[in-house]
Amino acid sequence: MDCSILISKLPDLPWITDVENLVPFSKDYTEDLQFLPDLAIAPTSADDIAKILKICNQFNIPVTTRGAGTGLSGAALPVAGGVVVSTEKLDKIIQIDTLNMQATVETGVVNAHLKEAVAAYGLSYPPDPASFGSCSIGGNIAHGAGGPRAVKYGITKDYILNLEVVLPSGEIIWTGSNTLKNSTGFNLTQLMIGSEGMLGIITKAVVKLVPLPTQELLLLAAFDSLTQCAKAVSAVLQSSVKPAAIELMETSGIEISMKATQTSFPLVKGATCYLLFSFDGFQGDDLFTEIEKIYPILDELGAIDIMPSPNSDTANDWWKVRRAIGETVKQKSIYKEEDTVVPRYSLPELLSEVKRIGEKYGFESVCYGHAGDGNLHVNILKNELSDDYWNHEVPKGIREIFECCKKLGGTISGEHGIGYSQKTYLDVVFTPTHFQLMKGIKSVFDPNGILNPGKWIR
């Protein structure tokens, strides 16, 4: 595609044109997919993005928005060529408003950097995807990201008050207001969350903050039954105990992560899976009281060992192993990561079906995820499967997994989005009416269809 019109009309902007420097913009963390754009740029202001979009809209040049490139659904892949607009240089924390407990940030700000900045004021931005050390706020918003602590604190959508968005026309709008309540018209802010760069480019966000907990205790429970492990999640949440996080990990995933990160983890003989509980707050004694309540519940469900973290270093190691599973599993094999989610009481049935379907189609799966909100990540490993089988038979198994999710009242993505890799499965959960409504919304924002073409909505 000839994108030279952009360079000729905006010659002062830092365009990236040579193939070597375009390659990093051609892929993200989605499987082994790669699509080279014709052009890329990392603007430093919303005004520059507005100029770019106005010309692209006029000349029908495809635009793919990219945050930190840590996505797992291929939403940032420039499958139609054109220009990639990266928000990586929109990295300013504009204001931390301690009186109203909110912050205004550009969307290229890394999640962890925002956490560190507000922690200096005794505040916290809770959403914590596994890649929080590298993923950007904009990418989190575009995918409706969650994270381990969603059990107690909720997910990204619960912390976004207002957004600055550049529309394909080049207009710049704010979607809402910097208030905790807003029932004025349609909620454009929430519409943008999870929109995967298909409605506009988000350049600033006003986010809600909460007091920063000063204490955290972890509890690790080992099980020899995946089903009993999953049942324990619902049992704990039906009690008076309120964990901040409940993470499920198969032993196979832990072993891969331990080896790759060179981090210790207390593996228990005979254990096939583990639950990692986090409790946080402001009084250590209160946390110990909470943990004591959980022991009889876990014992009754068949935990073969229960271990509290003895110190912060150990707790950090446990979290490091858990957060690295998704990244390190792909070092073992080409993989497909399915981001399933069901009502959490149905998690045992989903896990059972995932393993049954894996046996049926002959693939290995490594399961882990945010068990506290029913969000299970299923990493399917290619291993020795042929390319033909991987590309034609394994997708049939994935469809069966998603059909199970639908049957159980869930859906095919909890936090990774649909993007490019999951679009062929949307008919499992959407009817033609759903597609018609969403295409109508897309056409209002982006009538020429320049934003993120080639993904799940055209």
Side-chain angles (χ1 to χ4, degrees):
M1 177 173 294
D2 185 7
C3 298
S4 59
I5 188 71
L6 282 166
I7 299 174
S8 64
K9 287 185 173 291
L10 300 170
D12 295 331
L13 294 185
W15 298 104
I16 299 168
T17 59
D18 60 290
V19 172
E20 181 180 357
N21 289 320
L22 286 173
V23 167
F25 298 94
S26 69
K27 53 191 174 182
D28 60 8
Y29 281 24
T30 309
E31 302 173 26
D32 56 345
L33 301 175
Q34 185 171 7
F35 300 87
L36 195 71
D38 297 281
L39 203 61
I41 190 168
T44 58
S45 72
D47 288 338
D48 283 346
I49 292 176
K51 294 174 186 175
I52 294 166
L53 288 191
K54 188 172 183 178
I55 295 171
C56 289
N57 200 41
Q58 181 181 353
F59 292 93
N60 289 307
I61 297 172
V63 179
T64 303
T65 311
R66 179 185 177 91
T70 61
L72 292 163
S73 66
L77 298 176
V79 299
V83 59
V84 169
V85 176
S86 169
T87 60
E88 62 187 290
K89 292 186 178 178
L90 299 177
D91 58 358
K92 298 181 183 65
I93 297 175
I94 297 168
Q95 182 188 29
I96 298 173
D97 180 353
T98 58
L99 296 178
N100 290 302
M101 296 176 67
Q102 57 186 232
T104 302
V105 303
E106 292 184 322
T107 48
V109 171
V110 171
N111 184 297
H113 296 171
L114 175 59
K115 292 184 188 302
E116 293 166 4
V118 301
Y121 297 89
L123 297 171
S124 170
Y125 176 67
D128 63 334
S131 58
F132 78 101
S134 55
C135 64
S136 68
I137 296 298
N140 295 168
I141 295 168
H143 289 85
R149 290 182 172 83
V151 181
K152 181 175 180 179
Y153 293 103
I155 61 177
T156 298
K157 71 178 179 63
D158 301 309
Y159 291 87
I160 306 301
L161 299 174
N162 201 358
L163 296 170
E164 181 187 72
V165 179
V166 184
L167 301 176
S169 63
E171 295 174 273
I172 301 174
I173 66 168
W174 281 93
T175 59
S177 65
N178 300 358
T179 56
L180 297 177
K181 287 183 176 181
N182 183 356
S183 61
T184 311
F186 292 135
N187 195 329
L188 298 180
T189 303
Q190 290 295 315
L191 183 60
M192 294 302 301
I193 299 170
S195 62
E196 299 185 16
M198 292 189 288
L199 303 181
I201 297 181
I202 305 168
T203 49
K204 292 187 183 73
V206 180
V207 304
K208 184 170 65 173
L209 307 173
V210 300
L212 176 68
T214 57
Q215 306 285 328
E216 181 184 35
L217 289 176
L218 300 188
L219 189 71
L220 190 67
F223 291 82
D224 58 8
S225 164
L226 197 54
T227 300
Q228 290 302 106
C229 182
K231 286 182 178 180
V233 176
S234 182
V236 169
L237 290 171
Q238 289 179 60
S239 73
S240 61
V241 179
K242 298 300 176 187
I246 308 177
E247 296 292 289
L248 183 148
M249 303 169 285
E250 281 196 276
T251 300
S252 56
I254 292 172
E255 289 173 341
I256 293 169
S257 182
M258 287 175 62
K259 182 177 179 181
T261 62
Q262 296 294 296
T263 304
S264 61
F265 193 92
L267 292 176
V268 176
K269 185 178 181 180
T272 60
C273 52
Y274 295 76
L275 290 178
L276 178 64
F277 296 88
S278 168
F279 296 84
D280 68 8
F282 301 91
Q283 298 293 331
D285 290 345
D286 292 343
L287 302 188
F288 280 113
T289 300
E290 287 284 279
I291 281 181
E292 287 174 357
K293 294 177 183 177
I294 207 174
Y295 274 84
I297 300 172
L298 298 175
D299 280 333
E300 186 175 348
L301 269 296
I304 59 176
D305 202 351
I306 305 171
M307 300 160 279
S309 56
N311 51 58
S312 60
D313 288 339
T314 300
N316 289 336
D317 283 346
W318 292 0
W319 269 125
K320 183 177 180 179
V321 168
R322 161 59 191 96
R323 290 187 181 277
I325 291 176
E327 174 64 17
T328 56
V329 162
K330 70 180 183 181
Q331 296 176 16
K332 178 182 178 184
S333 167
I334 293 173
Y335 74 110
K336 296 179 185 291
E337 180 163 355
E338 310 308 329
D339 175 37
T340 63
V341 61
V342 295
R344 57 196 179 204
Y345 187 76
S346 298
L347 191 58
E349 187 172 349
L350 173 61
L351 272 164
S352 177
E353 278 297 283
V354 166
K355 295 305 180 182
R356 182 192 68 79
I357 292 167
E359 289 181 6
K360 176 180 176 181
Y361 287 91
F363 60 72
E364 177 188 0
S365 66
V366 177
C367 297
Y368 64 96
H370 317 307
D373 52 13
N375 187 190
L376 183 72
H377 300 315
V378 182
N379 275 19
I380 298 172
L381 306 185
K382 185 173 185 288
N383 292 332
E384 304 304 318
L385 298 176
S386 70
D387 290 346
D388 182 68
Y389 194 89
W390 180 250
N391 292 324
H392 296 100
E393 295 302 314
V394 170
K396 295 177 184 177
I398 294 172
R399 177 169 285 272
E400 288 190 22
I401 291 173
F402 287 154
E403 287 171 348
C404 174
C405 290
K406 171 66 174 176
K407 178 183 176 182
L408 294 173
T411 190
I412 70 173
S413 180
E415 58 185 9
H416 291 171
I418 301 301
Y420 178 76
S421 63
Q422 304 296 73
K423 65 179 183 177
T424 58
Y425 304 109
L426 267 180
D427 62 295
V428 173
V429 291
F430 285 166
T431 66
T433 301
H434 287 102
F435 282 110
Q436 183 180 3
L437 288 169
M438 293 188 192
K439 287 180 179 179
I441 293 169
K442 167 75 168 170
S443 67
V444 169
F445 279 82
D446 182 21
N448 292 330
I450 66 165
L451 291 181
N452 221 355
K455 306 301 167 49
W456 66 267
I457 196 167
R458 298 177 185 273

